[in-house]
Amino acid sequence: MKSVERTLKNLGLGFFRLFFGSETLASIPERLKNPKRILVVRADARLGNLVFSLPFVAALRKKFPQAEIIFLVSTQFAELLKNESGYEVWTFNKKKARNPLCILDLMRRLSSKQFDWCFDLSSPQSPSFTNSFLAGLSRAAVRIAYQSKFAEAFDNLLFEPEKDSALWEQFLKLLERVSPGKGEFGRVLNLTAEERKNAAEFYGQSSSPKVGVFLGGRGGKKWEAEKWLEVAEMLARWGCSVFLFYGPDEKEMSSTGVPGITPVAPRPIREFSALLSGLDLFASVDSGPLHLASALNVPVLGVYFTSDPVRFLPMGKRKTILTENKAVLNSEQVAEMAMEILEEKPARRPIVGAGLK
């Protein structure tokens, strides 16, 4: 059955190559080296993937201040970008896209822009059919991506994948391939004064360190909620104000009744971001919330079991990653590392990529 599915997929990709195909480019034509309209595509429904794309879009804006930039993202997280002024946000709803009329309407909107460049920000290690397909729909003169089976069907300027660097760095290097010079970026997310004020009111006037602990995660990345609760209880005993962030699956586990621990129910993405920004430390497995906190320049403690700590390294300057087998790592080790981070002097460089042996 799998071999049949694989054959059908390959036939489908062959059709798309014929339909979308254009002459493969070795470089950007001279007449298009100063693009007026640029499309960036990162439309899969993963928060972490979107966050990893933000330094790229910020650097692109700096390199081409006069260009019109449209960022095509999943409807699920578009609200996160509502205060960004350097580009226009368009949304893609994968469920609605099952209706051919929706695809035709999107194709019309994209083609009407007559984009000079399109960046297909698919991960070179985990290529996305959705991203590459949307890049193809744009009919941009130059469609730029890392080499993959999907990019070969829809894009026309391909580069060998980067290795041994974080995903957000790989995207910046893709920009450097077509526009020489280091891709510089500053703040990638902007919270309003009102959002920050509301977060400050939520936390109150306590002078104790505010630590966020995320109980969620996906698949093999996830750590048992009971382990995180043990971490939270230790931190609370040691004088921290601990805030348990959880999803629907962890709701029953979040009510501990332990003094110093406050459960935080799921919030809209902007409110959630503001709450993250008010923390002194955020601890989580490799997850969208971890990378969102790091993008907001919050110190993070990441616990990585199956994730590649190089490829999925958070972008912020203050990050500590623990890499260990689930059977070996215990709650006390994580809690002690959290306290070590909190007690560090500001001038001291935080530990990066630390592993428990």
Side-chain angles (χ1 to χ4, degrees), residues 120-267:
D120 168 5
L121 293 190
S122 295
S123 163
Q125 293 81 14
S126 302
S128 164
F129 174 85
T130 298
N131 289 334
S132 297
F133 174 69
L134 293 173
L137 280 186
S138 75
R139 308 300 288 173
V142 182
R143 301 187 296 279
I144 304 155
Y146 281 119
Q147 186 92 34
S148 76
K149 61 181 180 180
F150 299 136
E152 288 173 3
F154 300 107
D155 302 312
N156 61 4
L157 181 56
L158 306 179
F159 294 95
E160 285 295 319
E162 292 285 342
K163 297 179 180 179
D164 302 324
S165 59
L167 190 54
W168 59 271
E169 291 177 312
Q170 293 178 35
F171 293 150
L172 288 174
K173 289 178 181 178
L174 183 63
L175 177 58
E176 292 167 16
R177 296 283 190 95
V178 296
S179 179
K182 188 172 178 60
E184 299 288 347
F185 67 95
R187 181 180 296 176
V188 297
L189 283 172
N190 293 288
L191 296 172
T192 66
E194 183 70 16
E195 287 170 330
R196 292 185 182 277
K197 176 175 174 289
N198 291 339
E201 290 176 352
F202 174 85
Y203 289 124
Q205 300 299 317
S206 174
S207 59
S208 58
K210 297 184 291 295
V211 181
V213 173
F214 182 54
L215 300 182
R218 291 192 301 114
K221 299 178 181 181
K222 192 169 184 175
W223 202 25
E224 295 93 333
E226 293 86 353
K227 298 288 187 181
W228 281 120
L229 291 174
E230 291 173 2
V231 172
E233 290 175 7
M234 280 185 259
L235 292 174
R237 287 201 306 270
W238 297 341
C240 297
S241 294
V242 182
F243 298 87
L244 288 180
F245 294 85
Y246 62 90
D249 294 340
E250 298 84 33
K251 183 176 181 179
E252 292 184 3
M253 297 290 300
S254 63
S255 299
T256 66
V258 176
I261 298 180
T262 303
V264 184
R267 299 287 207 277

Side-chain angles (χ1 to χ4, degrees), residues 47 54 76-85 87 89 187-196 198-199 266-278 292 296:
L47 176 59
L54 298 181
Q76 186 173 351
F77 299 115
E79 182 70 11
L80 180 65
L81 307 176
K82 75 173 187 178
N83 286 333
E84 305 309 313
S85 59
Y87 47 84
V89 176
R187 181 180 296 176
V188 297
L189 283 172
N190 293 288
L191 296 172
T192 66
E194 183 70 16
E195 287 170 330
R196 292 185 182 277
N198 291 339
R267 299 287 207 277
I269 190 68
R270 295 287 308 182
E271 187 178 346
F272 177 54
S273 300
L275 290 178
L276 289 179
S277 73
L292 179 57
L296 291 162

Side-chain angles (χ1 to χ4, degrees), residues 219-343:
K221 299 178 181 181
K222 192 169 184 175
W223 202 25
E224 295 93 333
E226 293 86 353
K227 298 288 187 181
W228 281 120
L229 291 174
E230 291 173 2
V231 172
E233 290 175 7
M234 280 185 259
L235 292 174
R237 287 201 306 270
W238 297 341
C240 297
S241 294
V242 182
F243 298 87
L244 288 180
F245 294 85
Y246 62 90
D249 294 340
E250 298 84 33
K251 183 176 181 179
E252 292 184 3
M253 297 290 300
S254 63
S255 299
T256 66
V258 176
I261 298 180
T262 303
V264 184
R267 299 287 207 277
I269 190 68
R270 295 287 308 182
E271 187 178 346
F272 177 54
S273 300
L275 290 178
L276 289 179
S277 73
L279 294 169
D280 297 303
L281 177 67
F282 185 71
S284 167
V285 295
D286 174 29
S287 64
L290 179 80
H291 297 295
L292 179 57
S294 188
L296 291 162
N297 204 30
V298 175
V300 296
L301 171 57
V303 177
Y304 285 30
F305 297 117
T306 60
S307 300
D308 182 342
V310 174
R311 179 181 167 199
F312 297 109
L313 187 70
M315 70 181 68
K317 294 181 179 179
R318 298 177 292 176
K319 55 210 171 197
T320 303
I321 306 299
L322 301 182
T323 56
E324 189 53 276
N325 187 291
K326 285 186 185 182
V328 176
L329 186 66
N330 63 59
S331 306
E332 187 174 359
Q333 290 171 309
V334 177
E336 288 177 348
M337 179 60 76
M339 291 304 297
E340 182 176 326
I341 296 168
L342 289 168
E343 291 168 358

